[in-house]
Amino acid sequence: MSVDPRPVLVVDFGAQYAQLIARRVREASVYSEIVPHTMSVSDMLAREPAAIVLSGGPASVYAEGAPRVDPALFDSGVPVFGICYGFQAMAQALGGTVEQTGLSEFGGTPLDIVDTGSLLFAGTPQQQSVWMSHGDSVTSAPEGFLVTASTDGAPVAAMEDSARRLAGVQYHPEVMHSQHGQRVLENFLRGIAGCSPDWTTGGVIDEQVRRIREQVGDGLVICGLSGGVDSAVAAALVQRAIGDQLTCVFVDHGLLRAGEAEQVERDFVAATGVRLVVVDAQKRFLDALAGVQDPEGKRKIIGREFIRVFEDAARDIVAQAGAAGRSIDFLVQGTLYPDVVESGGGSGTANIKSHHNVGGLPDDLAFTLVEPLRTLFKDEVRQVGLELGLPAEIVWRHPFPGPGLAIRIVGAVDEGRLRILRAADAIARAELTASGLDRDVWQFPVVLLADVRSVGVQGDGRTYGHPIVLRPVSSEDAMTADWSRLPYDLIARISTRITNEVREVNRVVLDVTSKPPGTIEWE
């Protein structure tokens, strides 16, 4: 089945949920992309969108410099759906009234459907609980709109103009706390906007195979395998497209967890038959990282050295193949959509961190990047991997950062600290697997506070050892996350084993911070 090339554009007004809206649209089998609110209407329309969704945001429509919606958008004929701030900005641009009524609503709020003929709420109950987060309210709808729902604090909690294919809601249908929110979003996409539910992972594979072939032609390509699902799926997808033109390179940079190098050589090669070159670069990376404590500095060093190793490997591969006069011009990377968004690319959002696949590459990069997963979220990547026939051990592996254990050591990196962290991490992973809870946890970083010491008692003697932080988190796409409520007896077993078996550690603590305000990784 082919993919409709016309995306649903999610206009980001600074909402923490903009990425979640894009995911929910895709869950309705409709392709979506995030664009900044600063993009002009003409540029949006040039993308030939199937529909446009205006996200929420932290501003008040009355605030000086608050983002506005160009009224020309609503004369374009493109279906538009406003959410929260986007809903208010839409109402204001079309001549409705938005006021500071003093009746703010936050969290779960009862919603009454006041028009039973509503297309937006078709198939949903007349009373439902929704997730609100607003101070201002729309008090009168623009001309031509029907008010279809209300709450105690929002007389116009939803409105629609089916003739012009415009609609909006004051609440957040994209969050799981809004009952029937996904149904409401799908009612807009299909019932009002007329979008076809034809975006599938099978369509993604076909489309990416075509694009890869067009980009690469008969060129030679290398791909860096990290052992993670992202690079594995990217490599399998490129191999599907160009076969033996691809050589995979596994760089053992000495920052891996226990058993990861063996897993790459055994599982991935067995599943795909891909040509694999293994490069031992442990000393090179550790020498470059010596004494570096700044996390951004670590990321940039690792990104730089990673590329330099690849350049050396490319020359060796060409020489060994006897491909005189040829060079490897393309590098495959498993960059995902959240990587792009968090690095400030594609959405106009703030740069949260440099990602070694996005923002940590050197300016004089000698390769052209091939990024077949750049528009996908992690769960979509897993589905693509399953369709490509990759084994479950690879597809369901927990995400692991490209910079490896270097960014799970708070402080400088050296062989001794890596040994401590590798041992603690292996224990945590083994116990989680034994408990059968692997798939209940999105990611389980184990962090060494290398420059922190705490007093302990071991063997009737006073110790001055390192703390280890356990950071199990639950998430759908890593854009937001909450700490995983693992059973206490499991946490206790992990703690006991680490403090018994890793002599340099005398304290294990649990990180119970959500994202936001924290990030999943500590560095």
Side-chain angles (χ1 to χ4, degrees):
M1 184 177 294
S2 62
V3 180
D4 188 339
R6 300 177 304 141
V8 170
L9 299 182
V10 178
V11 181
D12 184 2
F13 286 101
Q16 62 173 316
Y17 296 130
Q19 294 82 18
L20 184 56
I21 296 171
R23 274 182 45 81
R24 297 298 186 228
V25 172
R26 294 187 188 190
E27 287 174 8
S29 299
V30 178
Y31 182 62
S32 64
E33 294 180 2
I34 301 169
V35 298
H37 66 81
T38 52
M39 178 179 282
S40 68
V41 169
S42 60
D43 285 345
M44 291 182 195
L45 299 181
R47 305 278 293 276
E48 299 184 358
I52 291 176
V53 179
L54 308 177
S55 85
S60 165
V61 293
Y62 296 108
E64 184 178 351
R68 304 293 181 193
V69 179
D70 185 344
L73 174 63
F74 307 109
D75 296 327
S76 67
V78 175
V80 181
F81 185 49
I83 294 175
C84 195
Y85 180 86
F87 169 70
Q88 295 173 2
M90 177 182 188
Q92 186 182 61
L94 288 166
T97 305
V98 182
E99 297 182 275
Q100 296 174 327
T101 64
L103 296 175
S104 301
E105 292 175 313
F106 298 97
T109 304
L111 179 81
D112 291 316
I113 311 305
V114 297
D115 188 316
T116 55
S118 165
L119 295 177
L120 205 55
F121 294 101
T124 69
Q126 190 169 354
Q127 282 83 37
Q128 51 195 272
S129 179
V130 298
W131 194 258
M132 286 283 197
S133 181
H134 71 100
D136 299 342
S137 299
V138 178
T139 55
S140 65
E143 184 177 352
F145 281 81
L146 289 175
V147 177
T148 53
S150 65
T151 66
D152 290 344
V156 183
M159 63 184 188
E160 55 196 86
D161 182 341
S162 58
R164 289 192 288 171
R165 299 193 296 174
L166 306 176
V169 295
Q170 178 60 71
Y171 64 95
H172 288 278
E174 71 275 17
V175 304
M176 61 180 294
H177 307 291
S178 287
Q179 294 177 342
H180 314 289
Q182 184 66 12
R183 176 63 183 271
V184 168
L185 185 57
E186 291 180 5
N187 283 345
F188 167 75
L189 293 170
R190 297 174 188 173
I192 296 177
C195 296
S196 300
D198 59 6
W199 190 74
T200 64
T201 51
V204 169
I205 292 172
D206 293 341
E207 177 70 12
Q208 285 302 320
V209 164
R210 180 187 64 79
R211 291 187 178 186
I212 292 164
R213 288 172 177 167
E214 287 181 356
Q215 180 184 7
V216 171
D218 62 355
L220 300 180
V221 185
I222 59 173
C223 175
L225 281 181
S226 66
V229 62
D230 303 341
S231 65
V233 173
L237 194 49
V238 172
Q239 189 190 42
R240 171 75 62 92
I242 61 172
D244 290 342
Q245 291 169 244
L246 171 69
T247 299
C248 287
V249 178
F250 175 66
V251 177
D252 187 351
H253 50 28
L255 307 172
L256 299 170
R257 300 184 295 185
E260 289 187 311
E262 295 78 7
Q263 183 188 54
V264 171
E265 295 188 63
R266 181 187 66 241
D267 296 344
F268 185 75
V269 174
T272 64
V274 73
R275 181 188 299 115
L276 178 67
V277 173
V278 179
V279 180
D280 184 351
Q282 297 185 47
K283 185 176 187 305
R284 176 174 183 160
F285 278 83
L286 288 178
D287 286 349
L289 289 167
V292 179
Q293 299 189 32
D294 176 64
E296 283 297 283
K298 293 179 191 176
R299 289 178 182 273
K300 291 186 182 297
I301 288 170
I302 293 167
R304 181 194 70 213
E305 294 301 318
F306 213 77
I307 292 301
R308 297 300 173 239
V309 170
F310 266 85
E311 291 170 345
D312 293 343
R315 286 188 288 270
D316 291 342
I317 291 167
V318 171
Q320 292 169 9
R326 298 197 68 184
S327 63
I328 296 180
D329 297 321
F330 297 94
L331 169 64
V332 179
Q333 288 212 125
T335 309
L336 305 191
Y337 202 33
D339 301 334
V340 177
V341 171
E342 288 203 343
S343 298
S347 70
T349 55
N351 188 332
I352 297 172
K353 63 183 179 183
S354 69
H355 187 276
H356 92 288
N357 283 352
V358 181
L361 299 178
D363 294 334
D364 58 344
L365 180 67
F367 302 107
T368 298
L369 294 181
V370 179
E371 300 176 300
L373 311 179
R374 189 179 177 89
T375 62
L376 301 183
F377 289 98
K378 178 73 77 172
D379 60 325
E380 296 164 342
V381 171
R382 295 192 197 280
Q383 290 303 313
V384 168
L386 291 172
E387 292 208 25
L388 289 170
L390 293 180
E393 292 79 11
I394 290 177
V395 171
W396 293 106
R397 182 176 182 264
H398 286 178
F400 187 62
L405 297 180
I407 60 169
R408 293 184 177 175
I409 295 175
V410 180
V413 179
D414 61 34
E415 288 187 13
R417 291 173 170 184
L418 284 166
R419 178 182 54 78
I420 295 169
L421 179 54
R422 202 172 276 125
D425 174 87
I427 291 169
R429 285 191 292 144
E431 289 295 339
L432 184 68
T433 299
S435 72
L437 296 175
D438 278 55
R439 294 197 189 179
D440 293 340
V441 174
W442 169 268
Q443 200 168 347
F444 195 172
V446 177
V447 180
L448 171 65
L449 304 184
D451 293 332
V452 176
R453 297 272 185 163
S454 66
V455 175
V457 178
Q458 292 170 297
D460 295 326
R462 179 186 176 94
T463 63
Y464 201 45
H466 295 288
I468 283 285
V469 180
L470 305 179
R471 174 68 167 144
V473 295
S474 301
S475 180
E476 290 185 320
D477 52 30
M479 301 307 299
T480 59
D482 196 10
W483 64 281
S484 301
R485 273 65 167 178
L486 296 178
Y488 290 150
D489 58 346
L490 172 58
I491 296 294
R493 284 198 304 274
I494 293 172
S495 175
T496 299
R497 282 197 58 192
I498 289 175
T499 52
N500 283 350
E501 299 174 31
V502 187
R503 298 296 298 174
E504 296 88 348
V505 176
N506 66 358
R507 192 176 300 270
V508 176
V509 299
L510 179 65
D511 184 346
V512 295
T513 313
S514 63
K515 175 188 179 182
T519 54
I520 292 177
E521 300 288 349
W522 271 50
E523 292 205 336

